[in-house]
Amino acid sequence: MIMKSRQSIRVITLGCAKNLVDSEVLMGQLKLNNIKVLRDDDKGHADTVVINTCGFINDAKEESIDMILSYIDQKRKGRIRDVYVMGCLSERFREPLMKEIPEVDEFFGVNDLANVVKRMGLEFRQNLLGERYLTTPSHYAYLKIAEGCNRSCSFCAIPGIRGKHISRTPEDLISEARNLSGQGVKELLLISQDLTFYGMDRLKKQALPELVEQLSDLDLFKWIRLHYLYPSTFPERLLAVINERKDVCNYIDIPLQHINDRILSSMRRGVSSKETRDLIAKFRNSLPGAAIRTAFIVGYPGETEQEFRELEDFIRESRFDRAGVFTYSHEENTAAFGLEDNIPEEVKQERASRLMEIQMDISLDLNLEKVGKTYAVLLDRKEGEYFVGRTEYDSPEIDNEVLIKSASNLKIGEFYNVKINEADAFDLYGSLTE
Ligand code: SF4
């Protein structure tokens, strides 16, 4: 294999924050090899392109394939030299992809970073894995605390792609957290497929509450935010930790997927509608004022109008701060693939819009309740005449934003006290308090 010299490499990242962290680790390795790294559509030329794909549902698969084909087209036109593909789509469909898109120089899996770096003729520095090249604004960063998933949700292809749950050691995570703080990070977002499972493999116990306490004890971050909590066997001590620790955001991100017992059981979620409601009530009692973000799937095989209405009622009564809605995607190598995907696409879409409409009204109500109140706001960027930031109840890119008109030259990445004057379903508008 001839090692071609490379000065710059473009890394394209698709999919979730977990994929983003993988790309950042790869870019960190490339930087250590003195390679100029270009991200996504950064200006500048790179002869080599690495596409970190997503592949867990149809829309994501299509987006990844379109991205690959667009760079293969550039390669055919001689504008770039190499195209490498890694990540979930490549892990899941490597053989068929190699046949269908032979112009790709090589396909890699998900835990394949070392091979990607070596394929470029570069040195892989195992001991410097924490040296990530941050692609988020420097004041916030994701910390991936584990890889893989041991759950068996019937609709989900991720365990088949990412493998079994592997928790990272607390020591590793503490050292990476210190490194991130050294890079200016003030908001640390903990992610994995299932945060609540942390420690069950290595420590044979749910160790998330302890890990959060250890990260909080570092006293390095203003905000520690938890994403991807799982409803069954929820570690209740976590609620006390969130309550006691002022640097742990009063924020719960917990995909629930549905509320009807027949569907929850078919989805193999390991939780009933009563247990789900009891858990939400526990959140409301032990964390008053906490923002709850969740996600639902509509159009699951066999979902009747009656079962869907049960979900509508649940959303109305629960008044979640945010709810993402996905239409069921019939995925190979999942338990649900054996069921008939018998809900027509237009019905799936219609149910999704009905849920979104209910949620939008609730989000507007809850946002209007914030008018007149003052919040600590972390500024993410300047956009036109507005500074744009978030409260502790809002995660980057997926939740509300606070828009502030100010003549003063405010600093991005700093916290400001902001009084909310107006609100709509998605954003808050405020002004600085003295
Ligand atoms: S918890 Fe369920 S939905 Fe989430 S990654 Fe694991 S199997 Fe998939």
Side-chain angles (χ1 to χ4, degrees):
M1 181 168 44
I2 306 141
M3 281 309 146
K4 307 165 189 162
S5 71
R6 298 168 211 281
Q7 273 79 44
S8 53
I9 297 177
R10 183 181 301 281
V11 178
I12 309 279
T13 305
L14 301 166
C16 66
K18 287 149 275 187
N19 234 21
L20 183 71
V21 171
D22 292 350
S23 289
E24 291 180 346
V25 173
L26 171 63
M27 290 187 245
Q29 291 287 324
L30 298 178
K31 294 282 286 182
L32 290 167
N33 283 274
N34 302 319
I35 296 288
K36 181 168 173 252
V37 173
L38 299 175
R39 296 168 293 172
D40 300 323
D41 47 15
D42 278 358
K43 290 202 173 30
H45 176 73
D47 256 344
T48 300
V49 174
V50 179
I51 303 168
N52 187 4
T53 59
C54 176
F56 83 119
I57 54 172
N58 283 336
D59 296 354
K61 289 187 272 185
E62 280 163 26
E63 186 193 9
S64 293
I65 289 169
D66 291 348
M67 185 64 79
I68 297 170
L69 294 177
S70 72
Y71 278 97
I72 290 301
D73 184 49
Q74 291 198 36
K75 183 179 175 182
R76 287 199 190 108
K77 292 183 177 125
R79 294 198 197 118
I80 59 173
R81 190 182 57 206
D82 324 305
V83 177
Y84 298 97
V85 175
M86 60 182 262
C88 294
L89 182 83
S90 189
E91 175 76 36
R92 198 174 172 196
F93 301 110
R94 194 185 313 226
E95 306 311 319
L97 285 168
M98 284 166 72
K99 287 202 193 79
E100 285 168 38
I101 322 176
E103 299 94 333
V104 166
D105 292 84
E106 189 154 350
F107 287 93
F108 298 92
V110 286
N111 302 319
D112 232 351
L113 283 184
N115 293 332
V116 176
V117 173
K118 289 174 191 154
R119 181 68 174 79
M120 314 264 167
L122 305 170
E123 188 196 347
F124 183 70
R125 321 275 279 273
Q126 178 72 36
N127 60 330
L128 295 174
L129 273 181
E131 299 281 327
R132 281 164 48 194
Y133 176 69
L134 288 188
T135 61
T136 49
S138 59
H139 55 271
Y140 73 79
Y142 297 98
L143 182 69
K144 185 154 75 164
I145 71 169
E147 184 55 273
C149 185
N150 281 24
R151 308 275 178 184
S152 55
C153 305
S154 65
F155 51 83
C156 184
I158 293 171
I161 299 171
R162 293 262 165 184
K164 285 290 178 203
H165 179 103
I166 302 172
S167 303
R168 294 177 62 197
T169 66
E171 298 70 32
D172 244 8
L173 293 168
I174 301 287
S175 106
E176 186 166 332
R178 286 187 195 287
N179 183 304
L180 292 171
S181 167
Q183 294 188 53
V185 171
K186 296 175 180 149
E187 178 184 6
L188 193 66
L189 300 100
L190 273 53
I191 58 171
S192 73
Q193 305 300 348
D194 167 10
L195 230 61
T196 52
F197 206 86
Y198 181 77
M200 289 296 283
D201 51 330
R202 284 174 188 281
L203 310 163
K204 303 289 173 259
K205 64 173 184 159
Q206 286 181 301
L208 181 62
E210 287 86 346
L211 176 69
V212 174
E213 283 172 329
Q214 286 174 290
L215 290 167
S216 166
D217 288 345
L218 295 174
D219 199 17
L220 293 173
F221 305 102
K222 182 93 192 257
W223 286 347
I224 297 171
R225 189 182 301 280
L226 311 182
H227 273 286
Y228 306 103
L229 298 166
Y230 194 88
S232 86
T233 61
F234 187 91
E236 295 194 13
R237 201 173 78 72
L238 185 64
L239 301 177
V241 173
I242 295 173
N243 215 356
E244 286 151 18
R245 302 285 174 139
K246 291 297 155 260
D247 54 354
V248 181
C249 296
N250 210 3
Y251 180 91
I252 295 270
D253 171 32
I254 188 161
L256 296 172
Q257 310 300 6
H258 215 284
I259 194 60
N260 168 266
D261 277 322
R262 184 193 72 77
I263 292 188
L264 283 171
S265 144
S266 174
M267 282 180 166
R268 304 183 182 187
R269 293 289 288 173
V271 70
S272 69
S273 63
K274 178 171 181 329
E275 288 160 339
T276 303
R277 284 190 168 85
D278 292 351
L279 186 61
I280 303 299
K282 220 167 263 161
F283 294 161
R284 297 290 189 209
N285 298 336
S286 41
L287 297 173
I292 302 181
R293 153 173 275 282
T294 188
F296 295 105
I297 292 176
V298 297
Y300 184 80
E303 183 188 57
T304 64
E305 176 61 21
Q306 185 45 47
E307 290 166 339
F308 172 70
R309 288 222 180 104
E310 209 180 317
L311 187 54
E312 282 187 315
D313 295 344
F314 175 59
I315 288 191
R316 281 195 197 92
E317 85 192 40
S318 309
R319 296 178 67 72
F320 296 109
D321 299 77
R322 332 253 178 275
V325 180
F326 298 86
T327 54
Y328 171 74
S329 181
H330 205 44
E331 293 300 324
E332 303 97 332
N333 310 326
T334 66
F337 199 63
L339 304 171
E340 194 197 340
D341 182 14
N342 56 5
I343 310 295
E345 191 54 35
E346 63 277 8
V347 174
K348 288 180 184 175
Q349 296 301 338
E350 185 248 343
R351 287 178 181 173
S353 350
R354 279 163 63 182
L355 282 195
M356 298 289 257
E357 225 168 284
I358 296 168
Q359 184 55 38
M360 211 149 80
D361 294 344
I362 292 168
S363 296
L364 177 58
D365 286 358
L366 295 174
N367 281 351
L368 288 172
E369 286 169 16
K370 292 189 169 79
V371 173
K373 295 183 181 148
T374 296
Y375 296 89
V377 168
L378 174 57
L379 287 194
D380 288 326
R381 66 185 187 283
K382 180 106 193 310
E383 209 169 287
E385 57 184 337
Y386 287 103
F387 287 94
V388 182
R390 291 167 293 110
T391 70
E392 77 168 289
Y393 306 109
D394 302 300
S395 192
E397 313 223 0
I398 53 174
D399 291 332
N400 280 13
E401 291 185 316
V402 182
L403 284 72
I404 308 145
K405 255 195 204 151
S406 170
S408 340
N409 192 15
L410 308 182
K411 286 207 188 71
I412 303 303
E414 291 300 330
F415 289 85
Y416 293 89
N417 288 326
V418 175
K419 183 175 179 199
I420 307 303
N421 308 319
E422 282 172 66
D424 62 31
F426 302 107
D427 292 321
L428 304 169
Y429 300 82
S431 49
L432 294 183
T433 60
E434 295 320 314

